[in-house]
Amino acid sequence: MYFLDHLWIIPLFPAIGAVCMFFFGRKLSKQAVNGICVGLVVLAFAWACVAVWQYTGYSAASPGKPFEKVLYTWMGTGDSSLSYVAHGGRTAEFRADAGFLLDPLSCIWLLFVTGVGMLIHIYSIGYMGHEGGYYRFFGYMNLFMFSMLTLILANNYAVMFVGWEGVGLCSYLLIGFYFQRHSASTAANKAFIVNRIGDAGFILGMFTIAWYFGSMQYTKVNLLARSGQFHIGDPVITAACLLLFVGACGKSAQFPLYVWLPDAMEGPTPVSALIHAATMVTAGVYMVARSNALFVLAPNAMKTVAIIGALTAIFAATIALVQNDIKRVLAYSTVSQLGYMFLALGVGAFAAGVFHVFTHAFFKALLFLGAGSVIHAMSGQQEMQHMGALGGKIKTTFGTMLIATLAIAGIPGFAGFFSKDAILWETWSREAGAYRYLWYIAFLTALMTSFYMFRLIYLTFFGKPRMDHEVEHHIHESPKTMTVPLVILAICSIGAGYLGMPHSLGGSNRFEKFLEPVFANEATVLEEGGKAAQVAAGEQQVEHTDPMEYTLMFASVGAAVVGWFLAQRAYKKADKGYKEPIQEISPRFYKTLFRKWYVDEIYDWVFTGRKKVGPVRLGAMGLGDAMWKFDADVIDGAVNGAGWSTRMSGTLSVLWDNRIIDGLFVNGVAIVTRLASYPVRLVQWGLVQWYALVMVAGLVGFVFYYVVKW
């Protein structure tokens, strides 16, 4: 049990790599950087595999029993030796330990984060081989892995929040890796700011849980949530869940906070793969799944999750239909697939949602890395209208990307078919009514997904060459460091789905059974308009023998085939003058989709007021004018009442506005703050890299101290 007992070493491996790069990376050769950064991620994956294997033995007698390792008490009140005693939903003490937890849910995330992350690191050796800032890139990537592993292995919301903020910081650093480009720095700022909005919701939800339950530890909060002390629809729990979901919308790019993710394509392609497949965007899904015991007590919050997920899925899919940048098509595809995952969580199909996260990690990583291989072959070209006929020139890339496309489209036999069909079936099989509308939305999204993904395949690999002759002359397959990870991910994009093969297809759905202990809450009664509807809190135990399941399965496959057929008709023989079907049908609607429904323009107008004064800025200006007029009217009234002259009134107005309001309350406060903050400014340099280094070094120091102390 040594590997399981030392679970904390898994995130420590990439943390060590990040510290080494920040301190010594500039002086190291590329081979040394590879050996340290890639080697440590390989060790993390190996350690994770053994730890999960030991966990299965640990929990054999009691399936799903969580293994918890507490390093030290991070935050606490009262005597830490007191036992955990519930008092009306609260505890005699409050503690937030620095600890790690392994259960079936974190096992799944741990394996695909370390496994896919390892393959992306290996791929990056070839992709980034000729780029500047090589050591800096791998240092950021290692820090990203450390943050995500901290998030998923945390045993409480406070430690999760450390990893949560860490992945936000790393996304900023990696999206803006090419900081010389204005578009990259702007995209990094956009990601950072939008995620701060979501993080505000997360931290408020976390504080609400701490106040209401007296603890932030998962096992204790879940124990209380399932104890029967709280009624369905508890307003405080509902508020906490909605606040947590705001955080999930930021990290996992759900409407309206999705706008940062497509712009994240400004970073290197391996970064896009890591963000979209294994790390940041899955954090929100993980947090909601981890909080399932709370969400089942808040049916209105779950409905919100389902509705936002379904609307985000179809909204992003419509935009992906007409994008020309190969990476942006995949970016909007990720937003759409994340919507599928939240739809599953919102209808209570937690295992189905997690299963789609698992399969999506493989085929989406493959798609992004395959897109990187295409861009590598095309000398940096990303626009699909300037590609074509690459299938016979980069055969490994073409074959693996085709497998990933078949998977995400939901073609039978590939991983995406099993996970997407599970979500569609679970959505339909919930109570009749509004959930059926969500199924129709998800079904239409499946058709769109097939269309835009096969559009990508045909425009990239089929048709006639549409690139410059100079670019065409240099097209070549990527090196083995890039193609071998593609082949491995292609195999996983086929085989991963069979872990969750349903009973209706002769399988035993081992994936769902493995997760049952995490989501096996007692059956609860959700009240809707005075009417009770029996729903399983975790996975509704429906025998997969309903003939309707086969009907819906054929319908979803039919949608995938129709989308494939339409894309083939429109793009298989594309030349330089090919036409977009949507553009021919409705040029105005095509323009709306191409401009992404003008959401970015609306945000710019509302919040920044570019070209014109936006309503937010206009409101602030109006408030300032109103306050100034109010002050002037008050002074005029006082002067007239005293019988003084109009000149005296003007003088007093100027003195009040300039000396009291501006001078004392505005400038005076600023001067005092500046003087008081001077000592702090001596160590606050404004360098994000420095802050990241201090955070990681401090955490490593804490861990080292307690290891030595033991």
mmCIF file of all heavy atoms in Angstrom, residues 106-121:
data_model
loop_
_atom_site.group_PDB
_atom_site.id
_atom_site.type_symbol
_atom_site.label_atom_id
_atom_site.label_comp_id
_atom_site.label_asym_id
_atom_site.label_seq_id
_atom_site.Cartn_x
_atom_site.Cartn_y
_atom_site.Cartn_z
ATOM 1 N N SER A 106 -12.332 10.024 -8.415
ATOM 2 C CA SER A 106 -10.999 10.603 -8.590
ATOM 3 C C SER A 106 -10.055 9.620 -9.274
ATOM 4 O O SER A 106 -9.103 10.036 -9.944
ATOM 5 C CB SER A 106 -10.430 11.055 -7.242
ATOM 6 O OG SER A 106 -10.469 10.029 -6.287
ATOM 7 N N CYS A 107 -10.306 8.313 -9.155
ATOM 8 C CA CYS A 107 -9.495 7.325 -9.875
ATOM 9 C C CYS A 107 -9.596 7.545 -11.384
ATOM 10 O O CYS A 107 -8.585 7.530 -12.103
ATOM 11 C CB CYS A 107 -9.951 5.899 -9.540
ATOM 12 S SG CYS A 107 -9.338 5.249 -7.983
ATOM 13 N N ILE A 108 -10.821 7.730 -11.865
ATOM 14 C CA ILE A 108 -11.025 7.915 -13.304
ATOM 15 C C ILE A 108 -10.329 9.173 -13.784
ATOM 16 O O ILE A 108 -9.586 9.162 -14.775
ATOM 17 C CB ILE A 108 -12.529 7.955 -13.615
ATOM 18 C CG1 ILE A 108 -13.139 6.568 -13.408
ATOM 19 C CG2 ILE A 108 -12.788 8.450 -15.037
ATOM 20 C CD1 ILE A 108 -14.641 6.534 -13.433
ATOM 21 N N TRP A 109 -10.545 10.275 -13.074
ATOM 22 C CA TRP A 109 -9.892 11.524 -13.480
ATOM 23 C C TRP A 109 -8.375 11.416 -13.379
ATOM 24 O O TRP A 109 -7.658 11.907 -14.245
ATOM 25 C CB TRP A 109 -10.392 12.671 -12.618
ATOM 26 C CG TRP A 109 -11.238 13.656 -13.367
ATOM 27 C CD1 TRP A 109 -10.814 14.776 -14.010
ATOM 28 C CD2 TRP A 109 -12.661 13.609 -13.558
ATOM 29 N NE1 TRP A 109 -11.871 15.431 -14.589
ATOM 30 C CE2 TRP A 109 -13.018 14.742 -14.328
ATOM 31 C CE3 TRP A 109 -13.660 12.741 -13.166
ATOM 32 C CZ2 TRP A 109 -14.329 15.016 -14.701
ATOM 33 C CZ3 TRP A 109 -14.954 13.012 -13.524
ATOM 34 C CH2 TRP A 109 -15.286 14.127 -14.287
ATOM 35 N N LEU A 110 -7.896 10.766 -12.337
ATOM 36 C CA LEU A 110 -6.458 10.637 -12.148
ATOM 37 C C LEU A 110 -5.814 9.893 -13.309
ATOM 38 O O LEU A 110 -4.765 10.305 -13.826
ATOM 39 C CB LEU A 110 -6.172 9.902 -10.836
ATOM 40 C CG LEU A 110 -4.711 9.647 -10.476
ATOM 41 C CD1 LEU A 110 -3.962 10.968 -10.302
ATOM 42 C CD2 LEU A 110 -4.616 8.797 -9.215
ATOM 43 N N LEU A 111 -6.436 8.827 -13.760
ATOM 44 C CA LEU A 111 -5.852 8.021 -14.829
ATOM 45 C C LEU A 111 -5.841 8.753 -16.167
ATOM 46 O O LEU A 111 -4.836 8.766 -16.875
ATOM 47 C CB LEU A 111 -6.610 6.694 -14.964
ATOM 48 C CG LEU A 111 -6.399 5.698 -13.822
ATOM 49 C CD1 LEU A 111 -7.271 4.461 -14.023
ATOM 50 C CD2 LEU A 111 -4.935 5.297 -13.694
ATOM 51 N N PHE A 112 -6.963 9.387 -16.537
ATOM 52 C CA PHE A 112 -6.932 10.017 -17.862
ATOM 53 C C PHE A 112 -6.192 11.348 -17.859
ATOM 54 O O PHE A 112 -5.628 11.750 -18.875
ATOM 55 C CB PHE A 112 -8.341 10.127 -18.473
ATOM 56 C CG PHE A 112 -9.216 11.249 -17.988
ATOM 57 C CD1 PHE A 112 -8.971 12.563 -18.352
ATOM 58 C CD2 PHE A 112 -10.343 10.994 -17.222
ATOM 59 C CE1 PHE A 112 -9.803 13.591 -17.945
ATOM 60 C CE2 PHE A 112 -11.184 12.012 -16.817
ATOM 61 C CZ PHE A 112 -10.901 13.315 -17.175
ATOM 62 N N VAL A 113 -6.140 12.035 -16.725
ATOM 63 C CA VAL A 113 -5.358 13.275 -16.678
ATOM 64 C C VAL A 113 -3.871 12.975 -16.797
ATOM 65 O O VAL A 113 -3.155 13.608 -17.582
ATOM 66 C CB VAL A 113 -5.658 14.061 -15.386
ATOM 67 C CG1 VAL A 113 -4.629 15.177 -15.185
ATOM 68 C CG2 VAL A 113 -7.052 14.667 -15.442
ATOM 69 N N THR A 114 -3.391 12.004 -16.037
ATOM 70 C CA THR A 114 -1.962 11.673 -16.121
ATOM 71 C C THR A 114 -1.633 10.970 -17.430
ATOM 72 O O THR A 114 -0.583 11.225 -18.028
ATOM 73 C CB THR A 114 -1.542 10.791 -14.936
ATOM 74 O OG1 THR A 114 -2.387 9.629 -14.870
ATOM 75 C CG2 THR A 114 -1.633 11.550 -13.625
ATOM 76 N N GLY A 115 -2.537 10.088 -17.899
ATOM 77 C CA GLY A 115 -2.261 9.352 -19.131
ATOM 78 C C GLY A 115 -2.281 10.240 -20.362
ATOM 79 O O GLY A 115 -1.325 10.271 -21.148
ATOM 80 N N VAL A 116 -3.361 10.997 -20.537
ATOM 81 C CA VAL A 116 -3.450 11.903 -21.689
ATOM 82 C C VAL A 116 -2.419 13.018 -21.558
ATOM 83 O O VAL A 116 -1.785 13.415 -22.541
ATOM 84 C CB VAL A 116 -4.879 12.468 -21.816
ATOM 85 C CG1 VAL A 116 -4.947 13.522 -22.915
ATOM 86 C CG2 VAL A 116 -5.874 11.348 -22.084
ATOM 87 N N GLY A 117 -2.228 13.517 -20.346
ATOM 88 C CA GLY A 117 -1.213 14.553 -20.139
ATOM 89 C C GLY A 117 0.181 14.073 -20.502
ATOM 90 O O GLY A 117 0.981 14.825 -21.076
ATOM 91 N N MET A 118 0.491 12.828 -20.190
ATOM 92 C CA MET A 118 1.787 12.258 -20.550
ATOM 93 C C MET A 118 1.954 12.212 -22.066
ATOM 94 O O MET A 118 3.014 12.600 -22.597
ATOM 95 C CB MET A 118 1.912 10.849 -19.963
ATOM 96 C CG MET A 118 3.190 10.113 -20.347
ATOM 97 S SD MET A 118 3.170 8.381 -19.818
ATOM 98 C CE MET A 118 1.880 7.708 -20.871
ATOM 99 N N LEU A 119 0.930 11.765 -22.781
ATOM 100 C CA LEU A 119 1.015 11.691 -24.246
ATOM 101 C C LEU A 119 1.164 13.083 -24.863
ATOM 102 O O LEU A 119 1.899 13.269 -25.836
ATOM 103 C CB LEU A 119 -0.225 10.996 -24.801
ATOM 104 C CG LEU A 119 -0.381 9.514 -24.449
ATOM 105 C CD1 LEU A 119 -1.708 8.974 -24.957
ATOM 106 C CD2 LEU A 119 0.773 8.690 -25.010
ATOM 107 N N ILE A 120 0.489 14.066 -24.302
ATOM 108 C CA ILE A 120 0.605 15.431 -24.813
ATOM 109 C C ILE A 120 2.007 15.975 -24.563
ATOM 110 O O ILE A 120 2.569 16.692 -25.407
ATOM 111 C CB ILE A 120 -0.468 16.333 -24.177
ATOM 112 C CG1 ILE A 120 -1.862 15.889 -24.646
ATOM 113 C CG2 ILE A 120 -0.236 17.800 -24.528
ATOM 114 C CD1 ILE A 120 -2.998 16.605 -23.947
ATOM 115 N N HIS A 121 2.595 15.651 -23.427
ATOM 116 C CA HIS A 121 3.973 16.077 -23.147
ATOM 117 C C HIS A 121 4.943 15.450 -24.156
ATOM 118 O O HIS A 121 5.852 16.129 -24.655
ATOM 119 C CB HIS A 121 4.378 15.682 -21.725
ATOM 120 C CG HIS A 121 3.999 16.708 -20.687
ATOM 121 N ND1 HIS A 121 2.704 16.922 -20.304
ATOM 122 C CD2 HIS A 121 4.763 17.581 -19.972
ATOM 123 C CE1 HIS A 121 2.675 17.875 -19.375
ATOM 124 N NE2 HIS A 121 3.902 18.295 -19.167
#
